[in-house]
Amino acid sequence: MSEIRIYRRPMAARWWARNPTYRRYMAREASSFLLFAYALTLIYGLWRLGQGQAAYDGWLTWLASTPALLLHLLMLIAMVVHAVTWFEVAPKTMPKTGLPERAITLGGIAAAALGSLFVVALAIWWGAWR
Amino acid sequence: MSERRIRIEGLRYNPEKDTQPRLQTYDVPFTDDMSLLQGMQYIKDHLDGSFTFRWSCRMAICGSCGIMVNGNPRLSCETFLRDLLPGPVRVEPLENFPIQRDLAVDQGRFVDTLASVKPYVVPAQEKPLSAGPHRQTPEQLAAYYQYSQCINCLLCYAACPQVGLNEHFVGPAALTLLHRYNADSRDVGWSARADVANSEGGVWGCTLVGYCSQVCPKAVDPAHAINQNKAKSALDYFGLRSLLGGAR
Amino acid sequence: MKRSNEPFFWLLFGAGGMVAALIGAGLVLVTGLLGPVNLIVPGRAIDYAHAHAFAAHPLGKLALFGVIALILWHSVHRMGEVLHDAAHIGAAVPLRIVALLATLALGWILLAI
């Protein structure tokens, strides 16, 4: 009796580009690189802050430059992608609540919008009244 | 009225003759009510008797006929040719499994991992037959009913990239059954299956791609079954198993 | 079956992800888009005096440390997953070392302000 030869297909190198669900997953996961970049940006800015006014003013000048603004725009998009996809999957990480999953997602996104609005409002107050 | 035809491209692999798979094209006449399975049966009955594929019930309950249809895991009995127009329709064996012959895959990995999750009630205390049957309220039944609907069709294994990337990953259906039994009030709960759940191949092998739940023909939602147990596994990790409610 | 140590890092990942989701966009807007060009958020809000006042205060330090450290740990967890999924590279451990070094550097920098 001849030996049965099973055939193992290799996994496609770019499997994550093959359907909308995989692409959405990879976009969600890849947003983390820009979130990491933002954390490093803040750490660097704090370091300049610790070095005194002249160093920090130089940092502020760079922040207003076109490359810096473009980078932050990308990081903003990454934060939004992160927030939306975070609450899309959040219902799957919780036991059943009786609420429809869509309600949890939309509630989370609303909380995120309010949270970010609050941060901006806080900054306006900090700059205007303090 | 002329006969309508659709082109079906089937992956062929004969383990006795072939060193690798190839695609073979068939022109299949069809009517609006025909499933893809019926189209494949036409090929076998009229065009090529060697074309090999699994099927049984024709009504999406046995779980035998899972294949890749144009790159997506589907049950061939539940997929209709009218929805695949104008064609061609590419049919291939389920992703992430080795091919035995044509569209039939070697399911050994699933069978082995299924055994490892103890997919049966491990009772909290042994009851003699004289004590009569277990009783469950509708709420107790609802806690696990959805996850008991799995027909072991393996579409979720084909959908899950972690099954392909991580040979130790137990996989969606097996982990769902792990949860199904943990959630059953007749079962002792978390402790019976903790070693599997807590391992790298257990819940921690899942990265919540979520495609498994999208392709499941029985709306079992394996992604939910697995990921609601990450918090439990984390509590267990920090020695807080007693907080897991119902677990002993 | 070997027990995974994922839970510890997963909790950090979850906390950081929640923080980033709830306030991340607002933070990027304030520190990187609106503040620097004095649009809606006055430029004063992030000038030396105001930034220093915030970071010098113990609560300010705590907030900055908590938010930035959690975002660090959240992002390295996911970056490790991307490298595993897309490039079959097991980079989880080196990335955690990077996150640890960045966290220590952050603490050092904040204590010096």
Side-chain angles (χ1 to χ4, degrees):
Chain A
M1 181 160 153
S2 57
E3 189 191 88
I4 304 296
R5 263 196 325 258
I6 58 170
Y7 185 83
R8 293 180 191 276
R9 288 161 290 177
M11 198 161 172
R14 287 179 63 228
W15 63 264
W16 45 266
R18 280 179 150 197
N19 72 46
T21 305
Y22 290 159
R23 287 192 291 268
R24 201 177 176 81
Y25 165 72
M26 199 42 92
R28 176 188 100 201
E29 296 288 292
S31 71
S32 61
F33 284 89
L34 284 165
L35 265 64
F36 182 67
Y38 182 59
L40 293 181
T41 307
L42 287 179
I43 294 175
Y44 185 76
L46 285 170
W47 181 58
R48 296 289 285 266
L49 181 65
Q51 292 185 309
Q53 172 125 27
Y56 186 72
D57 283 346
W59 170 245
L60 287 179
T61 307
W62 182 77
L63 278 181
S65 72
T66 313
L69 290 170
L70 276 170
L71 176 64
H72 279 86
L73 184 62
L74 289 174
M75 295 194 292
L76 176 67
I77 293 169
M79 283 289 184
V80 173
V81 165
H82 166 76
V84 169
T85 55
W86 185 257
F87 289 111
E88 272 176 0
V89 300
K92 301 288 188 207
T93 64
M94 302 155 42
K96 287 203 227 198
T97 53
L99 283 172
E101 290 192 352
R102 194 125 179 82
I104 299 172
T105 298
L106 290 175
I109 293 173
L114 282 173
S116 282
L117 209 66
F118 177 73
V119 166
V120 172
L122 198 67
I124 294 171
W125 170 78
W126 186 256
W129 297 106
R130 290 294 314 262
Chain B
M1 186 159 151
S2 61
E3 187 181 61
R4 292 158 72 203
R5 286 178 170 265
I6 191 167
R7 181 157 289 189
I8 296 180
E9 295 173 348
L11 184 143
R12 305 303 311 280
Y13 174 71
N14 181 336
E16 290 162 3
K17 292 203 201 117
D18 297 335
T19 50
Q20 57 188 58
R22 60 190 167 83
L23 281 177
Q24 189 161 343
T25 306
Y26 305 96
D27 274 325
V28 176
F30 75 100
T31 50
D32 272 344
D33 58 321
M34 273 172 70
S35 64
L36 174 57
L37 173 61
Q38 286 174 297
M40 289 154 62
Q41 286 167 330
Y42 180 90
I43 296 171
K44 193 170 181 69
D45 291 344
H46 299 285
L47 300 178
D48 185 344
S50 70
F51 189 43
T52 302
F53 48 92
R54 291 200 173 102
W55 64 280
S56 184
C57 72
R58 307 126 58 244
M59 56 183 216
I61 196 62
C62 72
S64 303
C65 67
I67 53 170
M68 304 300 282
V69 180
N70 294 336
N72 299 310
R74 302 290 322 253
L75 295 180
S76 63
C77 70
E78 228 185 9
T79 305
F80 291 91
L81 291 172
R82 63 177 182 263
D83 295 327
L84 297 167
L85 289 171
V89 180
R90 196 175 74 252
V91 296
E92 294 163 300
L94 285 178
E95 205 69 49
N96 300 327
F97 288 98
I99 309 175
Q100 283 180 330
R101 186 189 193 98
D102 293 351
L103 303 182
V105 294
D106 181 339
Q107 300 151 333
R109 173 180 177 169
F110 173 65
V111 173
D112 294 339
T113 54
L114 181 61
S116 73
V117 305
K118 300 197 186 76
Y120 42 83
V121 172
V122 175
Q125 61 244 94
E126 288 295 337
K127 284 170 63 170
L129 270 177
S130 54
H134 290 278
R135 299 176 74 82
Q136 281 187 327
T137 64
E139 289 77 23
Q140 286 173 321
L141 176 63
Y144 68 86
Y145 183 77
Q146 173 188 330
Y147 307 115
S148 71
Q149 297 305 291
C150 176
I151 60 174
N152 294 1
C153 67
L154 303 185
L155 296 193
C156 57
Y157 281 72
C160 175
Q162 300 303 338
V163 170
L165 290 164
N166 179 1
E167 59 174 345
H168 300 294
F169 184 41
V170 163
L175 288 172
T176 299
L177 281 164
L178 181 151
H179 177 71
R180 173 255 177 277
Y181 284 100
N182 285 353
D184 191 323
S185 58
R186 297 167 290 181
D187 189 273
V188 68
W190 178 262
S191 54
R193 303 170 184 88
D195 57 340
V196 173
N198 292 332
S199 68
E200 287 287 345
V203 300
W204 300 107
C206 172
T207 58
L208 232 185
V209 177
Y211 195 33
C212 56
S213 291
Q214 284 187 321
V215 302
C216 176
K218 293 295 170 187
V220 170
D221 200 354
H224 194 194
I226 299 169
N227 285 281
Q228 62 182 290
N229 283 293
K230 283 185 179 168
K232 289 190 182 145
S233 181
L235 282 173
D236 190 357
Y237 185 81
F238 290 104
L240 298 168
R241 194 180 274 193
S242 55
L243 291 181
L244 289 178
R248 263 144 258 151
Chain C
M1 204 155 302
K2 191 177 173 297
R3 183 180 207 134
S4 173
N5 289 311
E6 278 292 289
F8 177 73
F9 299 104
W10 179 78
L11 286 171
L12 287 171
F13 158 79
M18 194 57 84
V19 165
L22 290 175
I23 63 170
L27 283 175
V28 175
L29 279 170
V30 166
T31 65
L33 286 168
L34 302 178
V37 300
N38 195 35
L39 180 68
I40 302 171
V41 173
R44 282 185 78 224
I46 59 168
D47 71 10
Y48 180 77
H50 285 79
H52 192 271
F54 189 86
H57 194 285
L59 286 179
K61 280 197 217 294
L62 202 62
L64 286 166
F65 184 78
V67 167
I68 300 173
L70 284 174
I71 294 179
L72 275 174
W73 285 97
H74 164 83
S75 55
V76 301
H77 186 97
R78 258 196 182 154
M79 293 195 300
E81 284 181 355
V82 173
L83 290 170
H84 168 266
D85 290 352
H88 300 262
I89 299 172
V93 172
L95 281 169
R96 285 169 190 166
I97 294 172
V98 167
L100 182 63
L101 291 172
T103 308
L104 290 171
L106 173 64
W108 181 270
I109 289 167
L110 280 172
L111 286 172
I113 295 178

